[in-house]
Amino acid sequence: MTPVETILVSTKRVACNGGGGPLGHPKIYLNLGDDDKALCPYCSRLYVLEKVAHKAAEPAPVVES
């Protein structure tokens, strides 16, 4: 599945209800895996641990020879 939305989180366990209201889904709890990401099987929201998101945004270090 392709993520509909990416949500940055600060914990390895998150709850998802699809945004609540009439368009939501039953509340489920997701554990972020070894890659610090979890995809909701109901609404395809991607939960990403903040440190992973920041690490991906950082430029690669310059190595001088």
Side-chain angles (χ1 to χ4, degrees), residues 38-65:
L39 185 67
C40 177
Y42 283 102
C43 65
S44 299
R45 284 182 171 175
L46 178 65
Y47 292 90
V48 179
L49 195 62
E50 282 184 296
K51 69 176 184 175
V52 171
H54 290 300
K55 197 177 274 189
E58 292 177 6
V62 176
V63 179
E64 294 182 26
S65 52

Side-chain angles (χ1 to χ4, degrees), residues 10-21:
S10 59
T11 61
K12 296 272 291 185
R13 187 168 190 226
V14 296
C16 184
N17 65 3

Side-chain angles (χ1 to χ4, degrees), residues 2 4 6 8-10 15-16 24-26 28 30-31 36 38 43 46 48 50 56 60 64:
T2 303
V4 172
T6 300
L8 300 178
V9 295
S10 59
C16 184
H25 59 69
I28 62 169
L30 303 166
N31 292 315
D36 293 330
C43 65
L46 178 65
V48 179
E50 282 184 296
E64 294 182 26

